Amino acid sequence: MRAPPVINPVAGVPAGGFHQLPMPGLININEINTAVLEGEYTGVDGQKVPIDVRMIYHAHGSRINQLPNTLEAIKAHRKVEFVVTQNLFMNPDAIYSDLVLPVTSRWERDGNVCIGYREQLLWHSQVMDPYFECKDDLWIGIELAKRLGIDPKIVEPWSWKQEIFNEVADAKVMKEDGKTL
């Protein structure tokens, strides 16, 4: 059983995943820093849409040095009121943040299931305790939900261990033709 989809309130579609683009209310990632600095972005109809970005929240990745125009990204980070980075590494996003939430590595979590090539399902369990104050991403999401008055069951309808079991139980074996299960 999978968790029910969470609807993005801006675009009206399930959060995460891939959807037919463009979608109203979403900013092209290559335009995000310009939108912060200039207070507008290009809408789906090509018209400029006003926006007032006051906070940047990074969860993984390193957008400052991986998107076009690093200097513009730094200016955007300095312009907003608050920047949070949730990451395993002290990368440029974290360096320009007001708050850094250290996250656990895959080896410090209860486990995980990763998909490799079509014939691989990699399942691992926790091999060490988290260092220092590191918390896993799901714990951070649940705690943020509580503090924002959102039911934590929306973030975690069941335990992470149950989610791992569900992923393994949902796995299908593909036949040699690469098309049928």
Side-chain angles (χ1 to χ4, degrees), residues 69-101:
N69 203 337
T70 298
L71 295 178
E72 186 177 74
I74 292 169
K75 287 178 189 174
H77 280 67
R78 288 179 174 160
K79 181 181 180 197
V80 297
E81 296 171 13
F82 197 65
V83 181
V84 179
T85 294
Q86 174 179 326
N87 206 312
L88 174 63
F89 303 104
M90 191 65 178
N91 62 20
D93 291 350
I95 290 168
Y96 288 97
S97 292
D98 300 296
L99 175 65
V100 177
L101 301 173

mmCIF file of all heavy atoms in Angstrom, residues 69-101:
data_model
loop_
_atom_site.group_PDB
_atom_site.id
_atom_site.type_symbol
_atom_site.label_atom_id
_atom_site.label_comp_id
_atom_site.label_asym_id
_atom_site.label_seq_id
_atom_site.Cartn_x
_atom_site.Cartn_y
_atom_site.Cartn_z
ATOM 1 N N ASN A 69 24.825 30.675 -13.410
ATOM 2 C CA ASN A 69 25.051 31.969 -12.769
ATOM 3 C C ASN A 69 25.171 31.888 -11.249
ATOM 4 O O ASN A 69 24.287 32.300 -10.497
ATOM 5 C CB ASN A 69 23.967 32.974 -13.169
ATOM 6 C CG ASN A 69 24.461 34.390 -12.998
ATOM 7 O OD1 ASN A 69 25.383 34.647 -12.237
ATOM 8 N ND2 ASN A 69 23.843 35.311 -13.709
ATOM 9 N N THR A 70 26.292 31.406 -10.792
ATOM 10 C CA THR A 70 26.563 31.258 -9.363
ATOM 11 C C THR A 70 26.504 32.587 -8.625
ATOM 12 O O THR A 70 25.958 32.672 -7.521
ATOM 13 C CB THR A 70 27.954 30.613 -9.163
ATOM 14 O OG1 THR A 70 27.930 29.316 -9.764
ATOM 15 C CG2 THR A 70 28.307 30.490 -7.705
ATOM 16 N N LEU A 71 27.038 33.640 -9.217
ATOM 17 C CA LEU A 71 27.033 34.940 -8.530
ATOM 18 C C LEU A 71 25.615 35.458 -8.326
ATOM 19 O O LEU A 71 25.299 36.043 -7.287
ATOM 20 C CB LEU A 71 27.880 35.952 -9.305
ATOM 21 C CG LEU A 71 29.374 35.618 -9.362
ATOM 22 C CD1 LEU A 71 30.124 36.654 -10.185
ATOM 23 C CD2 LEU A 71 29.962 35.501 -7.967
ATOM 24 N N GLU A 72 24.734 35.231 -9.297
ATOM 25 C CA GLU A 72 23.329 35.625 -9.149
ATOM 26 C C GLU A 72 22.675 34.821 -8.023
ATOM 27 O O GLU A 72 21.876 35.356 -7.249
ATOM 28 C CB GLU A 72 22.581 35.407 -10.471
ATOM 29 C CG GLU A 72 21.166 35.920 -10.451
ATOM 30 C CD GLU A 72 20.487 35.747 -11.800
ATOM 31 O OE1 GLU A 72 20.141 34.591 -12.139
ATOM 32 O OE2 GLU A 72 20.311 36.752 -12.485
ATOM 33 N N ALA A 73 23.020 33.556 -7.912
ATOM 34 C CA ALA A 73 22.471 32.710 -6.849
ATOM 35 C C ALA A 73 22.894 33.231 -5.473
ATOM 36 O O ALA A 73 22.083 33.273 -4.544
ATOM 37 C CB ALA A 73 22.919 31.269 -7.032
ATOM 38 N N ILE A 74 24.145 33.633 -5.351
ATOM 39 C CA ILE A 74 24.623 34.164 -4.074
ATOM 40 C C ILE A 74 23.875 35.449 -3.732
ATOM 41 O O ILE A 74 23.447 35.653 -2.590
ATOM 42 C CB ILE A 74 26.147 34.383 -4.111
ATOM 43 C CG1 ILE A 74 26.858 33.026 -4.193
ATOM 44 C CG2 ILE A 74 26.625 35.185 -2.901
ATOM 45 C CD1 ILE A 74 28.333 33.106 -4.505
ATOM 46 N N LYS A 75 23.671 36.315 -4.710
ATOM 47 C CA LYS A 75 22.897 37.548 -4.478
ATOM 48 C C LYS A 75 21.474 37.224 -4.042
ATOM 49 O O LYS A 75 20.918 37.874 -3.148
ATOM 50 C CB LYS A 75 22.871 38.398 -5.753
ATOM 51 C CG LYS A 75 24.172 39.072 -6.078
ATOM 52 C CD LYS A 75 24.056 39.852 -7.379
ATOM 53 C CE LYS A 75 25.411 40.358 -7.839
ATOM 54 N NZ LYS A 75 25.350 40.984 -9.163
ATOM 55 N N ALA A 76 20.862 36.228 -4.667
ATOM 56 C CA ALA A 76 19.497 35.830 -4.306
ATOM 57 C C ALA A 76 19.459 35.322 -2.865
ATOM 58 O O ALA A 76 18.538 35.647 -2.110
ATOM 59 C CB ALA A 76 18.985 34.758 -5.270
ATOM 60 N N HIS A 77 20.457 34.558 -2.474
ATOM 61 C CA HIS A 77 20.507 34.050 -1.106
ATOM 62 C C HIS A 77 20.680 35.188 -0.103
ATOM 63 O O HIS A 77 20.159 35.123 1.001
ATOM 64 C CB HIS A 77 21.638 33.029 -0.955
ATOM 65 C CG HIS A 77 21.283 31.680 -1.450
ATOM 66 N ND1 HIS A 77 21.057 31.400 -2.773
ATOM 67 C CD2 HIS A 77 21.081 30.512 -0.786
ATOM 68 C CE1 HIS A 77 20.749 30.124 -2.911
ATOM 69 N NE2 HIS A 77 20.753 29.571 -1.727
ATOM 70 N N ARG A 78 21.403 36.199 -0.478
ATOM 71 C CA ARG A 78 21.608 37.343 0.421
ATOM 72 C C ARG A 78 20.378 38.246 0.482
ATOM 73 O O ARG A 78 20.205 38.983 1.441
ATOM 74 C CB ARG A 78 22.832 38.140 -0.031
ATOM 75 C CG ARG A 78 24.122 37.387 0.249
ATOM 76 C CD ARG A 78 25.330 38.144 -0.212
ATOM 77 N NE ARG A 78 26.560 37.460 0.210
ATOM 78 C CZ ARG A 78 27.725 37.653 -0.331
ATOM 79 N NH1 ARG A 78 27.866 38.505 -1.334
ATOM 80 N NH2 ARG A 78 28.776 37.004 0.104
ATOM 81 N N LYS A 79 19.536 38.185 -0.525
ATOM 82 C CA LYS A 79 18.367 39.064 -0.581
ATOM 83 C C LYS A 79 17.216 38.574 0.295
ATOM 84 O O LYS A 79 16.535 39.376 0.932
ATOM 85 C CB LYS A 79 17.866 39.214 -2.017
ATOM 86 C CG LYS A 79 16.657 40.138 -2.107
ATOM 87 C CD LYS A 79 16.127 40.296 -3.487
ATOM 88 C CE LYS A 79 14.931 41.243 -3.421
ATOM 89 N NZ LYS A 79 14.113 41.184 -4.579
ATOM 90 N N VAL A 80 16.985 37.273 0.333
ATOM 91 C CA VAL A 80 15.839 36.755 1.083
ATOM 92 C C VAL A 80 16.064 36.884 2.585
ATOM 93 O O VAL A 80 17.197 37.064 3.045
ATOM 94 C CB VAL A 80 15.531 35.286 0.705
ATOM 95 C CG1 VAL A 80 15.131 35.177 -0.751
ATOM 96 C CG2 VAL A 80 16.693 34.372 1.021
ATOM 97 N N GLU A 81 14.975 36.766 3.340
ATOM 98 C CA GLU A 81 15.043 36.928 4.787
ATOM 99 C C GLU A 81 15.689 35.736 5.492
ATOM 100 O O GLU A 81 16.307 35.898 6.541
ATOM 101 C CB GLU A 81 13.633 37.141 5.352
ATOM 102 C CG GLU A 81 12.987 38.418 4.871
ATOM 103 C CD GLU A 81 11.522 38.513 5.269
ATOM 104 O OE1 GLU A 81 11.052 37.715 6.116
ATOM 105 O OE2 GLU A 81 10.840 39.389 4.726
ATOM 106 N N PHE A 82 15.510 34.531 4.921
ATOM 107 C CA PHE A 82 15.966 33.345 5.629
ATOM 108 C C PHE A 82 16.284 32.233 4.643
ATOM 109 O O PHE A 82 15.532 32.014 3.692
ATOM 110 C CB PHE A 82 14.866 32.882 6.598
ATOM 111 C CG PHE A 82 15.332 31.933 7.663
ATOM 112 C CD1 PHE A 82 16.245 32.325 8.627
ATOM 113 C CD2 PHE A 82 14.829 30.644 7.720
ATOM 114 C CE1 PHE A 82 16.661 31.442 9.616
ATOM 115 C CE2 PHE A 82 15.232 29.760 8.708
ATOM 116 C CZ PHE A 82 16.146 30.161 9.655
ATOM 117 N N VAL A 83 17.395 31.529 4.868
ATOM 118 C CA VAL A 83 17.790 30.405 4.019
ATOM 119 C C VAL A 83 18.091 29.201 4.912
ATOM 120 O O VAL A 83 18.823 29.329 5.897
ATOM 121 C CB VAL A 83 19.031 30.736 3.155
ATOM 122 C CG1 VAL A 83 19.410 29.552 2.272
ATOM 123 C CG2 VAL A 83 18.808 31.980 2.316
ATOM 124 N N VAL A 84 17.506 28.067 4.556
ATOM 125 C CA VAL A 84 17.732 26.811 5.285
ATOM 126 C C VAL A 84 18.304 25.786 4.314
ATOM 127 O O VAL A 84 17.851 25.688 3.175
ATOM 128 C CB VAL A 84 16.412 26.255 5.868
ATOM 129 C CG1 VAL A 84 16.659 24.937 6.599
ATOM 130 C CG2 VAL A 84 15.753 27.268 6.779
ATOM 131 N N THR A 85 19.282 25.040 4.772
ATOM 132 C CA THR A 85 19.811 23.929 3.983
ATOM 133 C C THR A 85 19.764 22.667 4.826
ATOM 134 O O THR A 85 20.228 22.651 5.959
ATOM 135 C CB THR A 85 21.248 24.202 3.514
ATOM 136 O OG1 THR A 85 21.233 25.293 2.600
ATOM 137 C CG2 THR A 85 21.844 22.993 2.818
ATOM 138 N N GLN A 86 19.192 21.640 4.239
ATOM 139 C CA GLN A 86 19.088 20.317 4.851
ATOM 140 C C GLN A 86 19.947 19.403 3.995
ATOM 141 O O GLN A 86 19.564 19.048 2.893
ATOM 142 C CB GLN A 86 17.612 19.918 4.813
ATOM 143 C CG GLN A 86 17.274 18.548 5.252
ATOM 144 C CD GLN A 86 15.770 18.323 5.186
ATOM 145 O OE1 GLN A 86 14.971 19.215 5.420
ATOM 146 N NE2 GLN A 86 15.390 17.106 4.858
ATOM 147 N N ASN A 87 21.151 19.066 4.489
ATOM 148 C CA ASN A 87 22.071 18.327 3.642
ATOM 149 C C ASN A 87 23.082 17.564 4.475
ATOM 150 O O ASN A 87 23.352 17.906 5.621
ATOM 151 C CB ASN A 87 22.796 19.277 2.679
ATOM 152 C CG ASN A 87 23.252 18.605 1.416
ATOM 153 O OD1 ASN A 87 23.849 17.541 1.452
ATOM 154 N ND2 ASN A 87 22.987 19.228 0.287
ATOM 155 N N LEU A 88 23.670 16.588 3.841
ATOM 156 C CA LEU A 88 24.728 15.784 4.450
ATOM 157 C C LEU A 88 26.066 16.517 4.410
ATOM 158 O O LEU A 88 26.933 16.288 5.247
ATOM 159 C CB LEU A 88 24.819 14.449 3.687
ATOM 160 C CG LEU A 88 25.925 13.485 4.029
ATOM 161 C CD1 LEU A 88 25.803 12.998 5.465
ATOM 162 C CD2 LEU A 88 25.883 12.302 3.074
ATOM 163 N N PHE A 89 26.227 17.415 3.431
ATOM 164 C CA PHE A 89 27.510 18.075 3.209
ATOM 165 C C PHE A 89 27.415 19.584 3.429
ATOM 166 O O PHE A 89 26.395 20.195 3.182
ATOM 167 C CB PHE A 89 27.985 17.828 1.774
ATOM 168 C CG PHE A 89 28.105 16.367 1.453
ATOM 169 C CD1 PHE A 89 27.155 15.732 0.674
ATOM 170 C CD2 PHE A 89 29.159 15.619 1.961
ATOM 171 C CE1 PHE A 89 27.256 14.386 0.383
ATOM 172 C CE2 PHE A 89 29.269 14.265 1.683
ATOM 173 C CZ PHE A 89 28.308 13.646 0.894
ATOM 174 N N MET A 90 28.515 20.168 3.851
ATOM 175 C CA MET A 90 28.609 21.623 4.009
ATOM 176 C C MET A 90 28.987 22.196 2.644
ATOM 177 O O MET A 90 30.130 22.573 2.396
ATOM 178 C CB MET A 90 29.648 21.971 5.078
ATOM 179 C CG MET A 90 29.619 23.407 5.487
ATOM 180 S SD MET A 90 28.076 23.808 6.292
ATOM 181 C CE MET A 90 28.371 25.500 6.704
ATOM 182 N N ASN A 91 28.021 22.242 1.747
ATOM 183 C CA ASN A 91 28.247 22.692 0.371
ATOM 184 C C ASN A 91 27.958 24.193 0.260
ATOM 185 O O ASN A 91 27.617 24.842 1.266
ATOM 186 C CB ASN A 91 27.389 21.867 -0.586
ATOM 187 C CG ASN A 91 25.909 22.043 -0.322
ATOM 188 O OD1 ASN A 91 25.464 23.004 0.287
ATOM 189 N ND2 ASN A 91 25.123 21.096 -0.777
ATOM 190 N N PRO A 92 28.075 24.796 -0.922
ATOM 191 C CA PRO A 92 27.810 26.231 -1.054
ATOM 192 C C PRO A 92 26.411 26.652 -0.600
ATOM 193 O O PRO A 92 26.253 27.728 -0.029
ATOM 194 C CB PRO A 92 28.013 26.498 -2.547
ATOM 195 C CG PRO A 92 29.027 25.475 -2.949
ATOM 196 C CD PRO A 92 28.673 24.248 -2.157
ATOM 197 N N ASP A 93 25.397 25.810 -0.814
ATOM 198 C CA ASP A 93 24.058 26.149 -0.318
ATOM 199 C C ASP A 93 24.105 26.346 1.193
ATOM 200 O O ASP A 93 23.543 27.301 1.728
ATOM 201 C CB ASP A 93 23.050 25.039 -0.640
ATOM 202 C CG ASP A 93 22.742 24.916 -2.111
ATOM 203 O OD1 ASP A 93 23.152 25.791 -2.898
ATOM 204 O OD2 ASP A 93 22.071 23.941 -2.486
ATOM 205 N N ALA A 94 24.763 25.427 1.896
ATOM 206 C CA ALA A 94 24.853 25.501 3.351
ATOM 207 C C ALA A 94 25.678 26.704 3.801
ATOM 208 O O ALA A 94 25.343 27.362 4.789
ATOM 209 C CB ALA A 94 25.444 24.207 3.900
ATOM 210 N N ILE A 95 26.738 26.994 3.083
ATOM 211 C CA ILE A 95 27.604 28.120 3.444
ATOM 212 C C ILE A 95 26.820 29.435 3.432
ATOM 213 O O ILE A 95 27.026 30.294 4.283
ATOM 214 C CB ILE A 95 28.829 28.190 2.512
ATOM 215 C CG1 ILE A 95 29.749 27.002 2.814
ATOM 216 C CG2 ILE A 95 29.577 29.513 2.648
ATOM 217 C CD1 ILE A 95 30.847 26.778 1.790
ATOM 218 N N TYR A 96 25.885 29.583 2.494
ATOM 219 C CA TYR A 96 25.106 30.817 2.387
ATOM 220 C C TYR A 96 23.749 30.700 3.075
ATOM 221 O O TYR A 96 22.820 31.438 2.766
ATOM 222 C CB TYR A 96 24.940 31.200 0.910
ATOM 223 C CG TYR A 96 26.233 31.712 0.324
ATOM 224 C CD1 TYR A 96 27.068 30.874 -0.406
ATOM 225 C CD2 TYR A 96 26.640 33.019 0.526
ATOM 226 C CE1 TYR A 96 28.272 31.334 -0.926
ATOM 227 C CE2 TYR A 96 27.836 33.492 0.016
ATOM 228 C CZ TYR A 96 28.644 32.643 -0.710
ATOM 229 O OH TYR A 96 29.834 33.100 -1.219
ATOM 230 N N SER A 97 23.633 29.803 4.037
ATOM 231 C CA SER A 97 22.380 29.600 4.763
ATOM 232 C C SER A 97 22.440 30.196 6.161
ATOM 233 O O SER A 97 23.504 30.291 6.770
ATOM 234 C CB SER A 97 22.067 28.108 4.879
ATOM 235 O OG SER A 97 21.755 27.572 3.629
ATOM 236 N N ASP A 98 21.262 30.559 6.665
ATOM 237 C CA ASP A 98 21.141 31.017 8.046
ATOM 238 C C ASP A 98 21.059 29.838 9.004
ATOM 239 O O ASP A 98 21.453 29.933 10.161
ATOM 240 C CB ASP A 98 19.870 31.876 8.199
ATOM 241 C CG ASP A 98 19.906 33.081 7.290
ATOM 242 O OD1 ASP A 98 20.792 33.939 7.480
ATOM 243 O OD2 ASP A 98 19.070 33.174 6.378
ATOM 244 N N LEU A 99 20.524 28.716 8.517
ATOM 245 C CA LEU A 99 20.359 27.525 9.335
ATOM 246 C C LEU A 99 20.723 26.301 8.505
ATOM 247 O O LEU A 99 20.264 26.170 7.371
ATOM 248 C CB LEU A 99 18.898 27.404 9.807
ATOM 249 C CG LEU A 99 18.511 26.159 10.585
ATOM 250 C CD1 LEU A 99 19.250 26.103 11.925
ATOM 251 C CD2 LEU A 99 17.004 26.133 10.810
ATOM 252 N N VAL A 100 21.552 25.429 9.080
ATOM 253 C CA VAL A 100 21.933 24.190 8.405
ATOM 254 C C VAL A 100 21.420 23.031 9.258
ATOM 255 O O VAL A 100 21.727 22.946 10.448
ATOM 256 C CB VAL A 100 23.465 24.079 8.230
ATOM 257 C CG1 VAL A 100 23.837 22.748 7.597
ATOM 258 C CG2 VAL A 100 23.989 25.242 7.393
ATOM 259 N N LEU A 101 20.622 22.169 8.638
ATOM 260 C CA LEU A 101 20.103 20.982 9.301
ATOM 261 C C LEU A 101 20.909 19.784 8.797
ATOM 262 O O LEU A 101 20.734 19.362 7.659
ATOM 263 C CB LEU A 101 18.618 20.801 8.988
ATOM 264 C CG LEU A 101 17.716 21.965 9.404
ATOM 265 C CD1 LEU A 101 16.308 21.738 8.895
ATOM 266 C CD2 LEU A 101 17.732 22.144 10.904
#
